[in-house]
Amino acid sequence: MIRWILIALSAVSPAIAQEQIRLRSGEHSTFSRIVLETPWSPDYSLDRNGRSVRVRLSGLEGAISTSEVFRRMPRRRVADATFDASTREFRLRLACDCEVDVFGLDN
């Protein structure tokens, strides 16, 4: 069975996301979802090494708090999620050999 982790970058009004970039997560039967609400869809790159995933976000200011990631999503597919402000990297440690997809959404 293929299991997915989707990371969506969703553009919202700049006034909403100036200081803190909102992060939402959810668990579904066949995939886990993490959404970063950003002022615009930033440039990003994905780097994966085994069960470690790094999504580098270019041109974004503001902090991303990962403290609420597991409030609605168990650690079944994603074991840990952190944000490194110095490198602008959103980092995941996977709990499975999951597929990871990153894409932007324009609202």
Side-chain angles (χ1 to χ4, degrees):
M1 173 198 302
I2 297 176
R3 293 170 282 183
W4 287 87
I5 298 166
L6 304 173
I7 303 171
L9 304 170
S10 177
V12 296
S13 167
I16 294 173
Q18 282 183 352
E19 293 181 15
Q20 179 95 5
I21 296 169
R22 186 170 175 225
L23 185 143
R24 295 182 291 134
S25 62
E27 185 70 13
H28 303 271
S29 62
T30 58
F31 66 95
S32 300
R33 173 184 40 84
I34 298 173
V35 177
L36 301 174
E37 291 184 351
T38 61
W40 62 88
S41 291
D43 291 331
Y44 59 87
S45 62
L46 173 73
D47 181 35
R48 180 167 182 173
N49 185 1
R51 291 189 175 185
S52 295
V53 176
R54 294 182 309 178
V55 179
R56 180 168 288 142
L57 304 166
S58 300
L60 275 184
E61 298 297 323
I64 299 173
S65 172
T66 58
S67 64
E68 298 289 316
V69 170
F70 299 104
R71 193 178 65 139
R72 291 188 165 172
M73 186 177 76
R75 295 176 188 258
R76 194 171 75 193
R77 294 182 186 104
V78 178
D80 196 25
T82 59
F83 179 71
D84 184 331
S86 65
T87 61
R88 309 306 299 167
E89 287 180 346
F90 182 64
R91 298 177 181 172
L92 300 177
R93 187 170 46 86
L94 303 180
C96 63
D97 294 324
C98 307
E99 296 292 327
V100 177
D101 193 13
V102 180
F103 53 91
L105 299 171
D106 289 322
N107 291 348

